[in-house]
Amino acid sequence: MTDESKPPHPMSRRFRGFLPVVVDVETAGFNPERDALLEVAAVILTMDEDGWLTRAETHVQQIDPFEGANLEQSALDFTGIDPWNPEREAVPEREGLSEIFGPIRKAVKAHDCKRAVLVGHNATFDHNFIFAAALRADIRRNPFHPFSTFDTATLAGLAYGHTVLAQACKLAGIPFSNKEAHSAAYDAEKTADLFCGIVNRWRELGGFPPPPVPADPE
């Protein structure tokens, strides 16, 4: 079978041609325009031929505070990040985001999708920081949809009756360590497991593909 005749990847038919990519950021505050972005993790998802969603690659970058960035001490105490620790091997925003965006663009193409959609726990927060940093760094090939996201806090509230990531994971049977939390990679992978679990459970229950719409009686 040639590439031209190969059927499209099943992922391309699941989310309106979008590839879900789970993102978690660690920051030095809540304001994406003013406060430093310190760490980014992105988990690329994939789908098998039967339509089951799983996580694939995880990509992580430590980020140097941009020039003039605000660093809220309370935020640093919460995450435990020392922005000036040389062992972080942090890089400027442009380099770090480019290293994150490159594999995402490749995955979008490999899954026959048209662009990525950001999945996050309280996704607006992560989306705003990613887009603010990309704008500062003058990165024009941002693979993410400019405003659409999938929010696992909302989905977990529907599926499990809880919006806190740790509690939602426990209710979903996903091990969660509070000691390891607030690392971007750990939180992104747990969010990915939660998202995949909800999507797959919906499929198990017969919610997808949706039943055909009855024809209007003449």
Side-chain angles (χ1 to χ4, degrees):
M1 180 179 290
T2 64
D3 288 344
E4 290 75 12
S5 61
K6 186 175 67 173
H9 196 285
M11 184 75 88
S12 68
R13 302 189 296 270
R14 179 60 181 88
F15 301 103
R16 201 169 70 86
F18 295 149
L19 174 69
V21 178
V22 183
V23 171
D24 188 80
V25 301
E26 300 298 334
T27 70
F30 296 104
N31 186 327
E33 309 295 335
R34 182 192 69 181
D35 300 330
L37 173 66
L38 299 175
E39 188 177 1
V40 181
V43 180
I44 296 172
L45 305 184
T46 192
M47 181 175 283
D48 68 18
E49 291 300 322
D50 295 320
W52 302 111
L53 194 64
T54 58
R55 62 178 164 98
E57 312 161 13
T58 300
H59 299 272
V60 186
Q61 287 289 321
Q62 305 294 325
I63 308 294
D64 277 328
F66 64 90
E67 185 176 354
N70 182 60
L71 300 168
E72 291 290 339
Q73 189 59 48
S74 58
L76 300 180
D77 292 341
F78 181 74
T79 62
I81 296 175
D82 175 2
W84 313 120
N85 185 344
E87 294 184 3
R88 291 180 67 226
E89 299 182 350
V91 297
E93 286 182 330
R94 183 176 179 84
E95 181 180 343
L97 288 183
S98 295
E99 289 294 321
I100 292 286
F101 288 171
I104 294 173
R105 285 195 293 266
K106 290 180 181 177
V108 167
K109 184 176 181 180
H111 288 82
D112 299 317
C113 292
K114 52 190 177 183
R115 74 186 315 161
V117 62
L118 188 147
V119 181
H121 204 75
N122 298 309
T124 300
F125 179 86
D126 304 278
H127 188 273
N128 286 347
F129 267 90
I130 290 293
F131 271 74
L135 182 63
R136 278 192 299 269
D138 195 27
I139 296 176
R140 301 182 184 183
R141 295 187 64 204
N142 187 332
F144 288 107
H145 193 284
F147 54 84
S148 292
T149 61
F150 292 145
D151 182 14
T152 53
T154 302
L155 293 172
L158 170 67
Y160 299 111
H162 215 298
T163 59
V164 175
L165 179 60
Q167 294 302 317
C169 284
K170 289 175 183 177
L171 290 168
I174 300 167
F176 192 96
S177 168
N178 288 317
K179 291 182 179 179
E180 295 185 65
H182 309 306
S183 149
Y186 186 84
D187 288 357
E189 289 181 347
K190 292 303 177 180
T191 301
D193 289 342
L194 182 63
F195 180 73
C196 291
I198 293 171
V199 171
N200 291 337
R201 182 62 174 154
W202 181 244
R203 180 174 176 78
E204 280 182 347
L205 294 172
F208 191 87
V213 177
D216 291 332
E218 296 183 0

